[in-house]
Amino acid sequence: MELGITKEKAEELLDKYVTDPTIKLHMIESEAIMRALAERFYKEEEPAVAEAMADKWGIIGLLHDIDWEIVKDNPSEHCARAQEILKENGASEFLIETIISHAYGMEQIPAFKDRERNSKIQHSLVAAETLTGLIIASALMQPDKKLASVSLESLKKKFKSKNFAARCNRDLIAECEKAGISLDDFLALGLKALQNISGRLGL
C-alpha cells in the first residue's frame, strides 16, 4: 500500500488547503478513527507493520476532504478537485482512488454517482468520516459538551434516532460491516478514538 505522501506532507497540505477549523477538526477526527480501524484490522501483524498501516490509514482519513473549502459552493465537484490536488503532490493512484471513493454513489456528484466502493479500506473511510458527525453531535448535546460524557449506549440510541444529526447517513456508517467490523464494535471503536484525542478537539 503505497500512498506517495508522507504524514508530514499530508499535514502540510491540510494547512495549505483547509483554513476552516470545523472542517480541519473533522479531518483530524477521521484520521483518528481510520487509525483505530487499522490498529484493529492489523493487530495480528508485526508491531512495525501494524504501526505503518495505522499511519497510512490515518493519512487517508486526514486528507479525504482536502478540496472541500475549494468546492463547498459547488459540491458537485467534490473529490474531482481532490484528485487534481493529490496528483499534483505525488499521491499514488491507490491513495487518490481511496479518497475519492467516499463520494461514490452520491447523486449530487455526477462524476461518481454510478461508482461503487469495493474494498475494506473504501468502506472504512466512508463509514469513519460519517461517524465523526454523529459522535460530535452527541458530545455537543451533553450538558458539559464533552466527549467523555458520551456513553456507548447513548451513541447507539442516537444512531437509531434518524432525526438526530439527520445529515449523518446511517447507511454509510453501517458500511463498516462490509469492512469486517460489526456496527456495535465500530461505534465503540469510533467513540473511543475521538475520546482519546478530546483535548486536541477541545471537547
Side-chain angles (χ1 to χ4, degrees):
M1 182 192 293
E2 292 301 324
L3 302 186
I5 288 181
T6 63
K7 175 66 182 299
E8 292 72 24
K9 182 65 175 180
E11 290 177 339
E12 178 185 315
L13 292 174
L14 186 70
D15 289 338
K16 179 178 180 179
Y17 289 101
V18 183
T19 58
D20 184 316
T22 301
I23 297 174
K24 185 171 286 190
L25 287 175
H26 165 63
M27 294 166 78
I28 291 169
E29 293 152 12
S30 300
E31 174 193 21
I33 297 180
M34 286 293 283
R35 283 191 63 90
L37 281 168
E39 288 167 0
R40 177 189 174 99
F41 292 144
Y42 295 96
K43 63 183 178 182
E44 301 302 327
E45 301 288 343
E46 292 293 326
V49 173
E51 181 63 22
M53 294 306 290
D55 287 344
K56 290 177 179 181
W57 280 52
I59 288 169
I60 290 167
L62 189 64
L63 291 176
H64 81 280
D65 274 345
I66 195 65
D67 66 349
W68 183 248
E69 284 192 33
I70 298 171
V71 304
K72 62 183 178 182
D73 293 327
N74 188 10
S76 65
E77 294 184 3
H78 183 39
C79 285
R81 184 70 181 97
Q83 283 181 295
E84 299 170 10
I85 293 170
L86 293 168
K87 190 171 184 178
E88 289 166 2
N89 285 279
S92 67
E93 286 301 316
F94 173 82
L95 176 56
I96 294 171
E97 182 74 15
T98 303
I99 284 178
I100 67 172
S101 73
H102 81 276
Y104 290 177
M106 293 186 179
E107 290 293 330
Q108 63 270 40
I109 306 179
F112 303 120
K113 70 182 181 67
D114 295 323
R115 299 184 67 175
E116 297 181 356
R117 286 175 284 279
N118 58 19
S119 69
K120 178 190 289 282
I121 198 166
Q122 290 181 2
H123 292 304
S124 294
L125 176 60
V126 76
E129 73 103 2
T130 309
L131 179 59
T132 66
L134 185 68
I135 295 173
I136 297 303
S138 297
L140 294 176
M141 287 292 292
Q142 303 303 312
D144 59 1
K145 300 187 185 304
K146 295 294 184 181
L147 281 160
S149 298
V150 180
S151 69
L152 179 57
E153 287 309 310
S154 70
L155 185 62
K156 289 179 182 179
K157 290 178 181 177
K158 293 290 193 299
F159 177 86
K160 292 176 181 177
S161 176
K162 301 300 175 64
N163 291 327
F164 179 80
R167 293 178 63 186
C168 296
N169 187 316
R170 272 53 171 185
D171 290 338
L172 296 182
I173 295 174
E175 281 197 37
C176 64
E177 296 181 334
K178 294 181 179 179
I181 179 172
S182 71
L183 178 60
D184 282 356
D185 284 354
F186 182 54
L187 294 178
L189 177 147
L191 178 58
K192 183 178 180 181
L194 296 198
Q195 287 174 335
N196 286 343
I197 62 165
S198 60
R200 189 177 182 189
L201 301 177
L203 295 171

